[in-house]
């Protein structure tokens, strides 16, 4: 098919008009319509690139390179001339380049160093439906730049399948154009019964299905596998098959040399089978494919909170991704797609992948935005807002690494204009870290390694943390003994043991026998090598010395501390593996760790494991022993000594606590009660009393009655000028009682009333007893206690026999405050409340006497 016959040309005039009009355009067109290769050429032919280039963003490096090669062929130029590409660690561009294919991180970094995008006339965001994190961020930045400094910048978003309405609203005003494309029907087949890839490897299942389908179809095959290793094994299985001997088979993935990638997509007379990662899912169109064998797996980027890094682990693809893959079989003729799972299993797969902004660590993106001068990342115009906690976590990590300055203290915040908030900005160290296209943890480790001459071991450590631990746990005693003999003892870092294990496996070419003997997962260990080389290439590109050299273990451990300082832990005691971590966390060092003698350590992995009783246990793994002096050396601003006066709950005393802290983690604490200031001690003891944790034995009901009497005196007789005793006054009184003491025992026995009486003058005390006495003397000479309440009159309580011969009403306060009389039965329980005894004897007593005299015959009844 000639390029001009591709479906996208049906929209050419509308595309040109939209770009000339609003300057913003959404093009929705299926895979194979030609949008990726032809739209940039349309911009070139119609004069949009006379003053600059078009930058085409591709989610994958392989696609960016191969698309650039194809467009260069169609334009008729050498790759790197008018058409080129730029990906991590590789660039083929020149001063003449007008169409530049790049991966998403390249553009965002360019924006951080040049906010006006000099020399760029248009931006094209391809395969946007994949919702890569850097694509989302780059689009948002492009809109900011277009609305401010570059209104002439053209922005085009292209997608195979996407909710165009969401993008229309986000980009408004913009045009939305839809191409239906041309596809043929694809028959979907499933396996008749479920297969466990643990027992029947996915590459063997795929090869069998290729054999079955080969006899039923014409055309080429496309087999989807999650990664390079699985692709290699699939190619081996296919090449070993007699039924498939007439096919030629090629791998296709991003780790291959360019010439091998080109070989996979070239045209041949023989039928071919391409075994590819999901790079062939949407980004590339491969002609001649009529059969797809879908393994249903992909390496999925996710944030692993246990290790604080982004991971790339094999997971099941979504239903939407499976549909995209199936569509590759219907580009040129009717086709078939065989899914290596059952139809019954299909609905249990996710409908579609979460956008990366919802599942990746945002630290690297936040650092890039800060470098662009965007300090308020929470209010950045996200296409889809991330979880606020994810942003907070990213900023905290960057601050811990030294890439961001700390938030200003409250005093500095108070000097800002009302409503303004001072936000952490990028530091010089953060800008240096941004040069490395890796997670900020490893950028920080590489900078530390460059200073200490240990780049190679740090690159290997970075590679070791990317996948699952390949050193198996819970192995037999025989395997443990073999490990000890082959790897030796280790007490400084679990990394060092892993490094020796990997080198041992690498030395024996990952022999299954050798790996089995040492308890090494051969496939997991094999995957470390390419990552190691990749990290070395990144370091070399930034001018770091990656040559082999003798390295001091101390220097390497300092680099680990530089990258994982936010996971510093202190052993709580020598008898257990319990630890306290930075940021108020606690955990237990894994039993398999070799670093069980260290007092201070950093851990590269924190896992939460459910216990039998429903509790969650926090397990700390991949530990490295560190020294306190290194904290001062690497993070001098985060190390401080404090002195505070506190109440020690265990000792039941006020003590002076001297602490050395790294951030909020207490490294050492010493307590002494001899130096505690008495006023601070009294305030702390008062808090304990008010909280009910410490009791003043002498503060009894009599004390509470005295306080009520004072308050009622102030209320009933304001002319006496007695002040009400408030809750604040109560706290002051308790503090006076506690003054001079440090321990709970001494406070417990302190006298209370002398301090309370000192609250009033001698005249006020005399007035209190005169106006509101504690007891009232009755006509028969008996003295009965008065009870005062916060509300209502005083109450005189007396047994009925104590009231014989007494008539009339009672009052206190020189007759101004009437008293209620609570008449009690012989068992001291109330039987009547009255304010007039004369009326009681006449009206109520005859009834009361009749009843009570039967119940209490031995008592006097008149």
């Amino acid at each position: 098919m000639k390029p001009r016959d591709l479906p996208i040309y049906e929209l050419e005039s509308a595309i040109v008009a939209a770009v000339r009009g609003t300057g913003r355009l959404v093009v929705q067109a299926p895979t194979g319509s030609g949008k990726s290769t032809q739209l940039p050429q349309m911009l070139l032919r119609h004069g949009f690139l006379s003053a600059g280039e078009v930058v085409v963003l591709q989610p994958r490096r392989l696609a960016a390179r191969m698309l650039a090669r194809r467009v260069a062929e169609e334009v008729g130029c050498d790759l790197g001339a008018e058409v080129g590409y730029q990906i991590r660690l590789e660039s083929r561009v020149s001063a003449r380049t007008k169409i530049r294919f790049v991966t998403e991180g390249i553009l965002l970094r360019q924006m951080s160093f040049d906010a006006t995008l000099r020399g760029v006339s248009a931006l094209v965001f391809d395969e946007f439906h994949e919702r890569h994190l850097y694509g989302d961020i780059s689009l948002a930045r492009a809109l900011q730049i277009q609305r401010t400094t570059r209104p002439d910048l053209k922005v085009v978003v292209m997608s195979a399948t996407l909710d165009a309405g969401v993008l229309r609203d986000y980009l408004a005003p913009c045009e939305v154009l839809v191409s239906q494309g041309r596809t043929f029907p694809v028959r979907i087949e499933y396996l008749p019964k479920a297969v466990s890839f643990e027992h029947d490897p996915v590459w063997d299942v795929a090869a069998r299905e290729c054999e079955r389908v080969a006899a039923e179809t014409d055309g080429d095959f496309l087999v989807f596998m999650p990664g390079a290793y699985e692709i290699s094994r699939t190619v081996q299985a296919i090449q070993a098959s007699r039924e498939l001997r007439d096919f030629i088979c090629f791998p296709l993935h991003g780790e291959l040399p360019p010439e091998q990638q080109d070989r996979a997509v070239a045209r041949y007379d023989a039928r071919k089978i391409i075994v590819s990662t999901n790079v062939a899912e949407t980004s590339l169109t491969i002609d001649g494919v009529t059969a797809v064998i879908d393994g249903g797996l992909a390496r999925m980027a996710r944030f692993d909170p246990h290790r604080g890094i982004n991971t790339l682990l094999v997971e099941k693809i979504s239903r939407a991704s499976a549909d995209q893959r199936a569509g590759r079989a219907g580009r040129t003729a009717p086709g078939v797609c065989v899914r290596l799972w059952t139809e019954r299993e299909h609905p249990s797969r996710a409908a579609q992948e979460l956008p990366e902004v919802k599942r990746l660590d945002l630290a690297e993106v936040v650092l890039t935005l800060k470098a662009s001068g965007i300090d308020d990342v929470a209010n950045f115009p996200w296409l889809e807002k991330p979880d606020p906690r994810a942003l907070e976590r990213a900023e905290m990590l960057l601050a811990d690494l030294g890439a961001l300055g700390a938030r200003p203290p409250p005093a500095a915040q108070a000097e800002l204009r009302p409503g303004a908030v001072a936000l952490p900005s990028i530091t010089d160290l953060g800008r240096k870290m941004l040069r490395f296209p890796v997670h900020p943890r490893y950028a920080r480790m590489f900078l530390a390694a460059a200073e200490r001459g240990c780049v190679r071991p740090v690159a290997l450590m970075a590679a070791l943390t990317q996948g699952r631990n390949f050193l198996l746990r819970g192995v037999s005693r025989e395997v443990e003994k073999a490990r000890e003999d082959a790897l030796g003892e280790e007490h400084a870092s679990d990394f060092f043991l892993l490094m020796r294990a990997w080198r041992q496996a690498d030395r024996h070419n990952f022999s299954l026998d050798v790996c089995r003997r040492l308890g090494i997962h051969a496939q997991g260990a094999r995957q470390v090598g390419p990552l190691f080389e990749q990290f070395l290439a990144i370091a070399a590109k930034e001018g770091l010395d990656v040559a082999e050299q003798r390295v001091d273990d101390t220097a390497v451990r300092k680099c680990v501390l530089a990258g994982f300082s936010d996971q510093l832990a202190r052993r709580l005691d020598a008898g257990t593996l319990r630890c306290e971590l930075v940021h108020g966390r606690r955990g237990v060092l894994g039993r398999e760790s070799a670093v069980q003698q260290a007092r201070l350590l950093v851990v590269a992995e924190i896992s939460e494991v459910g216990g039998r009783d429903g509790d969650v246990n926090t397990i700390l793994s991949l530990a490295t022993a560190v020294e306190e002096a290194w904290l001062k050396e690497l993070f001098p601003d985060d190390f401080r000594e404090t002195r505070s006066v506190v109440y020690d709950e265990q000792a039941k005393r006020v003590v002076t606590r001297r602490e050395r802290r790294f951030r909020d983690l207490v490294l050492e604490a010493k307590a002494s009660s001899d130096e505690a200031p008495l006023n601070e001690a009294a305030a702390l003891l008062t808090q304990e009393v008010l909280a009910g944790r410490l009791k003043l034995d002498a503060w009894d009901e009599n004390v509470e009655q005295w306080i009520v009497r004072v308050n009622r005196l102030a209320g009933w007789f304001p002319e006496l000028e007695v002040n009400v005793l408030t809750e604040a006054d109560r706290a002051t009184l308790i503090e006076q009682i506690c003054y001079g003491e440090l321990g709970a025992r001494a406070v417990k026995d302190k006298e209370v009333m002398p301090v309370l009486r000192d609250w009033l003058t001698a005249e006020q005390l005399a007035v209190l007893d005169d106006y509101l006495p504690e007891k009232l003397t009755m006509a028969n000479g008996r003295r009965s206690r008065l009870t005062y309440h916060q509300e209502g009159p005083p109450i005189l309580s007396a047994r009925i026999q104590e009231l014989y011969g007494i008539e009339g009403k009672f009052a206190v306060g020189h007759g101004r405050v009437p008293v209620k009389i609570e008449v009690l039965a012989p068992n001291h329980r109330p039987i009547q409340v009255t304010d007039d005894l004369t009326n009681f004897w006449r009206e109520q007593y005859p009834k009361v006497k009749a009843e009570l005299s039967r119940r209490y015959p031995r008592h006097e009844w008149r």
Side-chain angles (χ1 to χ4, degrees), residues 488-494 496-497 500 553 594-595:
E489 287 191 6
E490 181 55 53
H491 300 292
S493 176
D494 293 329
F496 294 164
L497 198 65
R500 291 201 290 271
D553 283 356
V595 191

Side-chain angles (χ1 to χ4, degrees), residues 58-72:
Q58 283 293 327
R60 296 179 177 84
R61 290 177 293 165
L62 187 152
R65 194 191 67 76
M66 298 190 77
L67 286 169
R69 181 175 294 278
R70 180 172 296 184
V71 172

